[in-house]
């Protein structure tokens, strides 16, 4: 009987200790809880200064809560950029020329695999550097109408329908198909009506009627929002006199209310600075920061939110709740990517160096390049009546290839 009582006591003691340990684990680290509850718990544990430190692309570490530093600035228009060895695929405009959206989806899936592998290896060495992250500010789905725009090759061309199809395929390939974890986070940019010329982009006011706005410039953005793109980047310019990164029409009325966008909004880099220096629609940096936060900007590619959000708060231009509302969507993105979960529970944490620039990915790049070639006209060769294609050895004994090699 004494042995039985002793056994019951030990069992009771173990259960109590287990319960006590479970109580010590904060809710934001509890993988069984819904993401919203985890985000709410993390917000409650952060100080106002810590919250503000997380509003920029260079998010600061919060060591007491095991939050590592993280750099959000990242690109993958046609391969993982600026992060060492990676598979280089044809430029976006070339891939659009294939009209093959399933193939582009496969390419994006390969890119996100390489991104995960690079991030896994970097985190293992605690090298949390720029371009080693899991979110990408790609694809560029602006409509290429002006040849003076120096970034037209980053787009899928002048056709809104094709841009919507290709952009959707790319986003789905980057973000993956796992029911719990996002593979990487994609971004639809630059919202909106941002198609050059380059020289005036920091001050121009683009006037566009409702029909052209909806049918030309917003069509692809709506398709990508419907495809659950995680991020939207607001542009440098104004649209109908509203700066894109503080405009009520684009950010609130259309993106959030009409389209029900549930991800986070990031500014183009130093776009907030343009608002008081280039557009001059607001008098100073503090008022710009307050307006951006109230309109729905969640992250600044720059340092203005981290610098002046506290000043806007002290001047009562925003509230503590406004700061919570601004930070919550980016925390949600991190939870979706599995930042605060056990590595063994995430299927994407197994990728390593053999997932980078491997034979399969190189063959995929070749296939995309072959399909991107477009024959504009099969004209006659010189004075001959023979068509140029197919090439004939008897007529052509030399071949001169012109082009530019581009590597990350």
């Amino acid at each position: 009987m004494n042995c039985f009582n002793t056994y019951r006591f030990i069992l009771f003691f173990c259960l109590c200790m287990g319960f006590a340990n479970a109580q010590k684990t904060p809710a934001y680290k509890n993988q069984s809880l819904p993401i919203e509850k985890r985000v709410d718990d993390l917000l409650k544990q952060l100080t106002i200064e810590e919250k503000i430190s997380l509003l920029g692309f260079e998010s600061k570490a919060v060591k007491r809560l095991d939050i590592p530093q993280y750099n959000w600035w990242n690109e993958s228009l046609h391969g993982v950029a600026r992060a060492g060895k990676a598979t280089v695929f044809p430029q976006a405009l070339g891939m659009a020329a294939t009209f093959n959206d399933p193939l582009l989806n496969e390419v994006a899936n390969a890119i996100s695999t390489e991104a995960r592998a690079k991030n896994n290896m970097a985190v293992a060495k605690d090298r949390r550097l720029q371009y080693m992250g899991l979110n990408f500010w790609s694809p560029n789905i602006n409509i290429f109408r002006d040849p003076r725009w120096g970034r037209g090759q980053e787009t899928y061309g002048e056709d809104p329908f094709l841009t919507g199809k290709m952009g959707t395929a790319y986003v789905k390939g980057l973000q993956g198909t796992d029911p719990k974890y996002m593979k990487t986070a994609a971004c639809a940019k630059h919202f909106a009506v941002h198609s050059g010329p380059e020289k005036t982009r920091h001050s121009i006011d683009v006037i566009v009627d409702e029909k052209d706005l909806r049918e030309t410039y917003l069509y692809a953005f709506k398709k990508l929002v419907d495809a659950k793109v995680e991020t939207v980047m607001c542009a440098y310019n104004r649209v109908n006199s509203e700066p894109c990164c503080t405009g009520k029409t684009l950010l609130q009325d259309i993106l959030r209310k009409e389209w029900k966008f549930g991800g986070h909004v990031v500014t183009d880099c130093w776009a907030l600075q343009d608002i008081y220096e280039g557009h001059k629609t607001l008098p100073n940096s503090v008022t710009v920061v307050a307006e951006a936060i109230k309109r729905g900007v969640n992250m600044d590619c720059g340092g203005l939110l981290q610098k002046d959000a506290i000043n806007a708060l002290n001047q009562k231009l925003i509230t503590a709740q406004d700061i919570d509302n601004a930070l919550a969507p980016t925390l949600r993105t991190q939870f979706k990517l599995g930042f605060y979960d056990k590595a063994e529970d995430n299927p994407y944490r197994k990728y390593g160096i053999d997932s980078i620039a491997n034979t399969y990915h190189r063959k995929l790049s070749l296939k995309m390049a072959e399909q991107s070639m477009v024959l504009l006209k099969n004209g006659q060769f010189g004075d001959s009546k023979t068509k140029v294609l197919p090439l004939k050895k008897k007529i052509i004994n030399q071949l001169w290839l012109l082009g530019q090699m581009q590597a990350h």
Side-chain angles (χ1 to χ4, degrees), residues 2 17 20 31 72 84 90 110 143 159 166 179 206 226 245 260 285 294 302 306 315 340 354 372 397:
N2 289 337
M17 289 299 293
Q31 296 177 215
W72 293 81
I143 301 304
D159 186 334
M166 301 304 274
V206 183
D226 289 345
C245 289
K260 310 298 182 187
S285 61
K294 287 189 290 187
Q306 289 166 309
Q315 294 178 31
Y340 306 105
D354 58 343
S372 73
N397 52 32

Side-chain angles (χ1 to χ4, degrees), residues 177-243:
T177 58
D178 188 80
K180 182 174 182 180
Y181 293 107
M182 194 160 49
K183 195 176 183 186
T184 61
C187 173
K189 69 180 187 184
H190 311 80
F191 190 61
V193 202
H194 181 81
S195 302
E198 207 75 351
K199 187 176 180 179
T200 61
R201 62 181 179 162
H202 296 285
S203 58
I204 193 171
D205 184 8
V206 183
I207 306 301
V208 59
D209 62 52
E210 186 72 12
K211 186 177 189 297
D212 205 18
L213 178 68
R214 296 286 182 161
E215 294 182 0
T216 304
Y217 295 105
L218 295 188
Y219 178 88
F221 281 100
K222 175 62 164 60
K223 291 298 181 183
L224 266 62
V225 169
D226 289 345
K228 306 299 183 186
V229 68
E230 185 65 16
T231 314
V232 169
M233 177 181 282
C234 54
Y236 290 124
N237 52 283
R238 277 174 285 163
V239 174
N240 297 331
S241 300
E242 292 184 5

Side-chain angles (χ1 to χ4, degrees), residues 284-300:
N284 53 53
S285 61
V286 178
T287 55
V288 168
V289 165
E291 192 73 2
I293 288 175
K294 287 189 290 187
R295 292 302 185 205
V297 168
N298 307 111
M299 176 171 295
D300 179 17

Side-chain angles (χ1 to χ4, degrees), residues 304-323:
L304 218 58
L305 289 187
Q306 289 166 309
K307 172 180 171 288
D308 278 329
I310 192 68
N311 296 323
L313 182 66
N314 291 338
Q315 294 178 31
K316 301 188 185 305
L317 299 176
I318 56 173
T319 66
Q321 185 60 53
D322 289 328
I323 292 175

